[in-house]
Amino acid sequence: MFFKGVIKDDYGFTALNFSFIIENEDRNNLREEDEQLSLAKDINPQQFYHSFDLAELGLNAGDRISYFFEVWDNDAIHGSKSSRTQVMTFKLPTKEEVKKMTEESNESIKDQLLEALDEVDQLKKDVDELNKKLFEKKELGWEDKKQLEGLLEQQKNLQEKIDEIKNENIEKNNRDQQFNELDEEIIEKQKQLEELFNELMKNEELNKLFEELQKLLDEVDKEKVNDMLEKMKMSTEELDEMLDRNLELFKQLEFEQKLDETIDKLEELAKKQEELSDETLDKKADEESLKEEQEELKKEFEDVKEDLEKLDELNKELEDPNKFDKMDQDQDEISEDMEQSIESLDKSKRKEASKSQKNASQKMKKMSESLLNMQQEMIEEGMAEDIDALRDILENLIQLSFSQEELINKVSSINLNDPNYTNLAQDQKKIKDDMGIVEDSLVALSKRQIMIEPFISKEIAAIDRNIDKSLQALNIRRTAQAASNQQYVMTSINNLALMLSETLNQMMMSMMQQGSCNSACKSGQPKPGAGKGSLKSVRQLQDQLNKQIEGLKMGKEKGDKDGGMPGNESGQSMCEQLARMAAEQEALRKRLNEYSEQLDKEGNFGASKELKKIMQEMEKTETDLVNKILSQETLLRQKDILTRLLESEKAELEREKEEKRESKEPNGENYRNPEEVFKYNRQLSNEVELLKTVPPSLKPFYKQKVNQYFYNFEELLKQ
C-alpha cells in the first residue's frame, strides 16, 4: 500500500509517525506498532510518502489492520501537540469468505468457458456457411463484406472473453495460495492450467488469419478470401478443442482441491472434538459453554456434509467421473454421536457426553483416512490407466508413421498411368481414418491428464490439414505435391510421438513417486510406512510389463511357426520391443532400490532384504531381454516377481496397522551376573543371524512363517 500526504503547521514539526494495530477475527489485539517517518522539521508545509507491505506481517485469514498517521508540532512553550488522520482499516477475508469467493469464481469461470465454447461453435458455423456461400459466387458483394466484418467482430469479442477468463483464474489462484494451505501438487496443477489458458491467448495462427482477412476486405479477392476462410475453419476447430480441454481440466482440478480441503477440515474437526471430549470430563468446565462448543462443532460438521454433497455433484459433472463415495452412513453416525453428546450435557451426564464425543472424533478420523485412501486410489488407478492408454496411442502413432512413409515412397515412384494409382488415395484415406481414432483417444486422454502439452492440438490440426491436401493432390494426379503434404503429415506424427514419449516417461516417474506422502507430508512430517503407494505403483507397472512380455512371447512363437519374426502392430522390430522392455524393467528395479535404501534407514531390514531378492530376479529378466531370450522360465520368474511385490505391499499395510510398541516395566527378575546374560544374548543373536543368512529352500508360505519367527524372537531379546 502506497501513501502520499501533506503536513503543515504555523511553525514546524517534531515527529511524524505511522501506527498500526492488528486484530484477529474476534477483535483480540495481536500486535501494535509505531514507525517513525523521516521529515524535515523546518520545511512547512511538506509532502511525505510511505509504503506499507502487508505481506511481511504474516497475516491470517480474518485478521483486521487499523492504521493512521500522526504528526507533532514543535511548540516548546505549551508542549508539543499532535494531530492524526482518520483511522483506516483493511480486513482480510475469513476462511469461509475465501471459500465462498473461490466457489463463485469457479462457477463464473466454468460459465464463461461454456459461453466461449458456444461462441467458437457459432464462429465455426458462420465461417463454414460464408465459405459455402462464396463458393457459388464469382465475386464478393457488399453483403459478403459485411459478413466478413461480422466475423472479425466475433473473433475480437472471443479474444476479450478468453482474456477475462485467464485473468479471473489467475486472481482466484493467487487468493487460494494466499489464504489456504494448498498441497504442492494442487499448486503445480494450477500453474499448468494457467499456462494452458495462456496458450489460448497465443493462438497466433488464428490471430494472423484474422489480420490478413482484415487486409483482404479492401482488396475484395474472392479466391484469397475462400482460402483464408478454409484455414480459419481449421484454426477455430483447434481452439474449440483447447477450450473444451481446459474446461474439463478445470473441473477436475476443482474436484481435487475441494477433496483436499474437505480432508483437512475433517482432520481439524476430529482434533477439536477429541479436545472437547477431554474437556468435558473436567469438573471445573462450565456445562453451558461445553454445550455451546459442541453445537458449534456440530454446525461445522454440517458444513463438511455440505462439502461432501458438493464434491459428489462436482464429480458427476466430469466426463469421466472418479470412483467417489460420500459415505452417507458414516456421516449419519457422526451426526448421531454429536446429537447424543448434546443431550447428555443437557442432563449433566458428562461421562456419557464425553464417550459420544470420543466416538464422533474417532469416526471422523476414520472418515478422513478413508477419503485420503480414496484420493490416493483415484490418482494411482487413473495414472495407471492413462499410462496404458498413452502407450497404446504411441504404438499406433509409430505404426501410422511407418505406413505414411511407405505410402510416400509409393507415390514418389509410381507411374500416373499405373492401374494401382487409385489404390494410393484409398491407402491415404485409411491412414486418415486410423488417425481419426488415435486423435479421439488422444483428445479424451488430454482432458484427464494435464501433463500432456497443448502442443498436441497444433500437431493434430497440421496432420488433418495436410492429409486433406494430399488427398486433393492425389485426386488431380499431382504426385509431387501429394508426396510433399504426406511428408508434412509424417513429420507432425513423429513430432507428436516424440512429445508423447517424453510425457509417458514423466507420467511413469510421477506414478512411481505417488503415494510416498499423504496428508502428514503436508505438514513436513514423514508418513508412517512411507512408500506404500510407491510399492503399489511399482507392482501395477510390473503387472503391465509382464503382460507385454507374455504377449511378445506369444507373438514370437506364432512368428516362428509362420517362418518369420515380425514386429508388433506399432512397426517396432522384436529387438526394439525387447530393448524397451529391458529399459522399463531397469527403471522399476531402480525405483525399488531407492525404496529399499529408505527401509534400511528406518531399520526395516527384513522388508528391505525381501526387496533385494526381488531386484535380483528383475536383473535376471533384464539380462534375458537384452540377450533376446524369452523362455517359459522368464515368464514364471515374472509371475514370481509380481507375487513377491504383492506380498511386500501387504506386509507394508500390516506394518502401518501395527500398534506402537509400548514401554514395559521391569518384570522383577534379579540377574545375579548381568555380564553372563549379555554374553549369552550376544551368542544367541549371532546364531540366529547365521540361520537367517543361510535359509533352507522353503516355499513362500513357510519362508514368511520363518521370517515372522525370527522377528518375534528378536523382539523377545530386546525385552
Side-chain angles (χ1 to χ4, degrees), residues 183-185 188-189 192 256 376 379-384 386-387 449-452 502-517 533-538 540-541 587-588 591 594:
D183 185 55
E184 283 296 325
E185 192 176 341
E188 184 59 34
K189 285 185 178 180
Q192 288 173 323
E256 289 175 13
Q376 292 292 332
I379 294 170
E380 289 168 9
E381 288 180 15
M383 187 70 84
D386 290 347
I387 286 172
Q449 191 50 249
I450 202 167
M451 285 187 187
I452 295 176
E502 292 172 0
T503 303
L504 179 62
N505 290 333
Q506 289 173 10
M507 287 169 65
M508 288 179 69
M509 289 301 295
S510 176
M511 183 177 178
M512 283 189 240
Q513 291 166 4
Q514 285 288 355
S516 59
C517 271
S534 298
L535 269 182
K536 183 172 182 178
S537 60
V538 170
Q540 288 173 335
L541 290 170
L588 291 174
R591 176 60 187 157
E594 289 174 11

Side-chain angles (χ1 to χ4, degrees), residues 678-692 710 713-714 717:
F678 296 146
K679 185 178 178 181
Y680 171 77
N681 284 343
R682 279 196 298 272
Q683 186 179 351
L684 198 60
S685 178
N686 290 337
E687 289 173 1
V688 169
E689 281 300 316
L690 183 63
L691 286 170
K692 286 174 73 176
F710 285 129
F713 193 83
E714 286 174 354
L717 285 179

Side-chain angles (χ1 to χ4, degrees), residues 110-170:
K110 285 189 289 187
D111 289 342
Q112 288 184 78
L113 280 168
L114 287 169
E115 286 173 15
L117 276 166
D118 289 340
E119 288 182 24
V120 171
D121 288 339
Q122 187 60 46
L123 180 61
K124 197 164 48 172
K125 185 180 175 183
D126 292 345
V127 167
D128 199 31
E129 284 179 1
L130 184 57
N131 199 15
K132 289 176 183 176
K133 184 179 174 183
L134 293 180
F135 187 76
E136 299 167 358
K137 291 188 174 184
K138 290 183 180 179
E139 57 183 27
L140 295 175
W142 180 84
E143 188 182 340
D144 302 324
K145 192 174 178 180
K146 283 294 176 186
Q147 281 186 273
L148 286 171
E149 287 176 353
L151 289 179
L152 291 170
E153 188 63 30
Q154 281 179 262
Q155 188 266 349
K156 184 182 176 183
N157 293 336
L158 181 61
Q159 284 295 104
E160 287 174 358
K161 183 172 284 293
I162 291 172
D163 196 25
E164 286 174 16
I165 295 170
K166 186 194 89 167
N167 291 334
E168 187 170 353
N169 184 58
I170 290 171

Side-chain angles (χ1 to χ4, degrees), residues 197-255:
F197 278 116
N198 286 333
E199 286 297 323
L200 291 174
M201 299 296 297
K202 291 178 186 174
N203 199 328
E204 294 171 4
E205 188 176 346
L206 187 59
N207 294 337
K208 189 178 177 182
L209 288 171
F210 275 104
E211 286 174 12
E212 290 179 14
L213 188 60
Q214 181 75 52
K215 294 174 186 176
L216 286 174
L217 284 176
D218 300 326
E219 297 177 16
V220 196
D221 188 328
K222 176 182 171 294
E223 291 299 323
K224 287 183 179 178
V225 169
N226 271 343
D227 184 50
M228 199 64 62
L229 288 173
E230 194 61 41
K231 289 178 180 177
M232 280 169 57
K233 182 184 173 184
M234 299 291 287
S235 293
T236 49
E237 285 174 358
E238 179 191 335
L239 181 60
D240 188 49
E241 281 184 4
M242 290 173 72
L243 274 169
D244 193 29
R245 183 196 178 194
N246 282 18
L247 175 60
E248 191 61 25
L249 287 172
F250 185 85
K251 288 179 182 177
Q252 180 64 36
L253 182 57
E254 182 186 11
F255 172 81

